[in-house]
Amino acid sequence: MAEIAAERVAAMMRRERERFAGARPRSRALSEQAKAHLLAGAPLTWMREWQSPFTVFAAEACGAEVVDVDGHVYADFCLGDTGAMFGHSPPAFAERMRATLDGGVTHMLPTEDAVWLGAELARRFGLARWSLALTATDANRFACRFARQIAGRPKILVFDGCYHGTLGETLVDLDGNRMVRRAGSVGIVEDPDTTTRVVDFNDLDQLDRALTQGDVACVLAEPALTNCSMVQPDTGFHDGLREITRRHDVILIIDETHTISSGPAGYTGAQGLQPDMLTLGKPIAGGIPAAIYGFSEELAARAEGMMEASGDFSTGIGGTLSANALSLRAMRVMFESVITEAAYAHMFAMAQGLERGIADAIENLGVPWHVTRIGARVEYGFGPRPWRNAREVRAGRRRDLERLMHLYCLNRGVMVTPFHNMLLTSPATTPDQVAAHNAAFAAAVAELVGE
Ligand SMILES: Cc1ncc(COP(=O)(O)O)c(C=O)c1O
């Protein structure tokens, strides 16, 4: 198996940067203008993470296609980093949302859609009661705060390599056996030793030991890590996680924001998990800000009991625009008409096509890489076997290769999520788009190994 030389990657990168810049005069001009009044030259600093010499500016998007301001059309496998996982403005959604705008956007009153939504979420995800937020970050923040209050304990436990949004207490990593603040995170003042415990994913003994101290209110976990490359759970990991959290009387919160790629009820539904709470945001309102968090019957009764007893329902949790009429309608339309079994059947078939194409190129060209998939979410990694935890990801990561593969694909009309090698499929993704990705991927690898 061939290891890929850094010099070859660097030479290809120089050529791809020139090709990119030469073909996008309008994006280049807008990027220059943006520096004047947008922090770091972008409306969201993360948009600087694209591996191109400057950011592509989008003109419009439809289905699984993005068109940029220079007229380039991209097969979109980034899909707004999951925010558009069910396609850009699916027709059933766009039509009904246009009419909704005429009825007022936010009232500090529930609409009938809220009642429909609560019942649908209980049916779909199997948890009794639900509350709303605007982002997955906030859903996680609110779920953890309720959990701490209910459990009467100060800490949360997360897995090394996790990402659950911008909650300061989750932005930690393991350095050896020491918990450290995640590099690059800005302005967090709480000492993580007072808020957080962190253990390796797939290590149930470590988890058990960390919970023995009795100071952890909840475990906040993705069912598989999807934000530091992709790390699948070992067989039996989820049974162990559930058994250990129950034994220590610790609340288990499953964050399905990315693993909703597993099916209409997420990984929880697909694998029969039994969390005490569940959080989910990003694609469930077609890109309109909305998120949900659910409670088991028992936890809901305890949370409601606390509020009834104090007579105070403001809780310091919520947000003025949460559960506004627009996001309620958007979630209703999405769950009614778009996030369906039929949609997933197509998404899975397209993702299998990506997985096959990537695996074939890896095998045919003899590179020591792997590919893995959770439903409609595919990830390839520059190591011979799927990773088991974030330590392995860090040790095996090749940023230079990552950057090159992204830019190489972008230059050939294929968009991959900028943060790592993640590809998503939508109900609108076509076999031609899958073929375009696989051709670009195979061509890049062939050139890397000198074929
Ligand atoms: C698993 C998971 N949870 C929560 C979030 C936070 O989502 P948002 O940025 O929409 O708040 C993310 C974002 O990537 C995520 O991947």
Side-chain angles (χ1 to χ4, degrees):
M1 280 209 173
E3 270 302 339
I4 291 173
E7 300 75 47
R8 182 178 284 268
V9 179
M12 282 174 67
M13 193 66 179
R14 278 193 296 278
R15 184 197 68 205
E16 293 299 320
R17 286 174 69 86
E18 273 173 32
R19 175 171 169 167
F20 176 91
R24 290 169 183 78
R26 182 88 186 118
S27 274
R28 183 204 283 272
L30 288 168
S31 294
E32 282 307 311
Q33 288 169 33
K35 287 180 189 161
H37 300 296
L38 293 173
L39 186 69
L44 169 66
T45 56
W46 300 3
M47 291 175 185
R48 291 291 307 277
E49 292 282 312
W50 287 91
Q51 307 306 332
S52 40
F54 47 83
T55 313
V56 168
F57 274 68
E60 59 181 353
C62 181
E65 220 168 69
V66 172
V67 182
D68 75 12
V69 290
D70 290 289
H72 301 283
V73 179
Y74 302 92
D76 186 7
F77 295 99
C78 168
L79 294 169
D81 187 15
T82 309
M85 200 174 82
F86 300 104
H88 296 284
S89 303
F93 171 79
E95 229 164 77
R96 285 180 66 186
M97 294 316 293
R98 261 179 236 119
T100 306
L101 281 174
D102 291 334
V105 169
T106 192
H107 316 120
M108 197 48 80
L109 293 168
T111 56
E112 282 193 30
D113 289 334
V115 178
W116 183 93
L117 184 69
E120 168 61 12
L121 295 177
R123 183 197 69 76
R124 199 177 267 256
F125 295 106
L127 287 174
R129 285 209 270 299
W130 293 83
S131 196
L132 271 59
L134 285 177
T135 63
T137 296
D138 265 347
N140 283 326
R141 193 193 322 281
F142 301 159
C144 287
R145 285 186 51 192
F146 269 114
R148 284 199 207 99
Q149 187 71 27
I150 290 167
R153 295 175 181 173
K155 291 186 181 170
I156 69 171
L157 183 143
V158 292
F159 290 102
D160 185 31
C162 73
Y163 185 68
H164 297 287
T166 57
L167 287 76
E169 60 266 51
T170 62
L171 295 173
V172 294
D173 284 319
L174 278 176
D175 179 8
N177 291 326
R178 221 162 42 93
M179 176 169 59
V180 293
R181 173 70 59 219
R182 186 164 295 168
S185 47
V186 166
I188 301 166
V189 291
E190 301 98 330
D191 176 354
D193 284 327
T194 65
T195 60
T196 312
R197 290 188 182 280
V198 57
V199 299
D200 284 306
F201 197 72
N202 278 326
D203 190 331
L204 292 169
D205 290 338
Q206 248 190 77
L207 173 73
D208 201 358
R209 282 197 301 278
L211 297 187
T212 306
Q213 323 278 332
D215 54 3
V216 171
C218 59
V219 170
L220 174 61
E222 277 194 280
L225 298 180
T226 66
N227 283 289
C228 70
S229 188
M230 192 190 284
V231 181
Q232 302 263 11
D234 287 349
T235 307
F237 173 73
H238 278 289
D239 290 342
L241 172 61
R242 186 61 282 194
E243 186 278 314
I244 291 165
T245 44
R246 282 216 174 104
R247 179 151 46 79
H248 291 285
D249 209 10
V250 166
I251 294 167
L252 177 59
I253 307 173
I254 293 290
D255 178 352
E256 289 277 9
T257 301
H258 274 187
T259 46
I260 191 67
S261 64
S262 310
Y267 198 96
T268 293
Q271 300 294 327
L273 306 189
Q274 294 191 320
D276 302 303
M277 301 182 77
L278 184 150
T279 60
L280 171 59
K282 290 206 191 184
I284 56 171
I288 289 173
I292 52 177
Y293 55 109
F295 300 73
S296 67
E297 184 77 50
E298 189 209 330
L299 288 191
R302 287 169 73 180
E304 287 165 354
M306 279 168 2
M307 291 184 272
E308 297 281 358
S310 70
D312 188 345
F313 290 83
S314 61
T315 63
I317 285 175
T320 309
L321 296 181
S322 294
N324 67 73
L326 191 71
S327 52
L328 283 170
R329 175 60 56 86
M331 282 186 275
R332 178 173 186 163
V333 173
M334 290 298 289
F335 283 123
E336 248 175 15
S337 319
V338 182
I339 310 178
T340 61
E341 290 281 358
Y344 276 95
H346 179 80
M347 291 155 76
F348 290 174
M350 295 299 104
Q352 281 160 352
L354 289 173
E355 187 183 28
R356 245 189 334 268
I358 295 167
D360 285 351
I362 289 173
E363 195 183 328
N364 295 341
L365 294 159
V367 282
W369 301 358
H370 70 269
V371 58
T372 184
R373 180 173 71 86
I374 298 178
R377 184 176 299 271
V378 176
E379 176 106 24
Y380 55 90
F382 306 122
R385 281 176 307 282
W387 320 110
R388 279 198 66 237
N389 56 40
R391 288 177 204 272
E392 290 189 6
V393 175
R394 283 185 210 111
R397 200 157 183 190
R398 289 265 321 249
R399 293 273 191 193
D400 61 339
L401 272 176
E402 239 169 65
R403 293 192 181 106
L404 174 68
M405 294 303 289
H406 288 214
L407 189 55
Y408 192 99
C409 286
L410 207 55
N411 277 337
R412 287 152 188 83
V414 174
M415 204 172 256
V416 180
T417 316
F419 310 116
H420 39 100
N421 304 321
M422 185 169 80
L423 297 137
L424 299 169
T425 55
S426 81
T429 302
T430 65
D432 284 352
Q433 291 180 316
V434 170
H437 169 270
N438 291 346
F441 181 89
V445 181
E447 198 180 337
L448 280 166
V449 300
E451 293 251 330

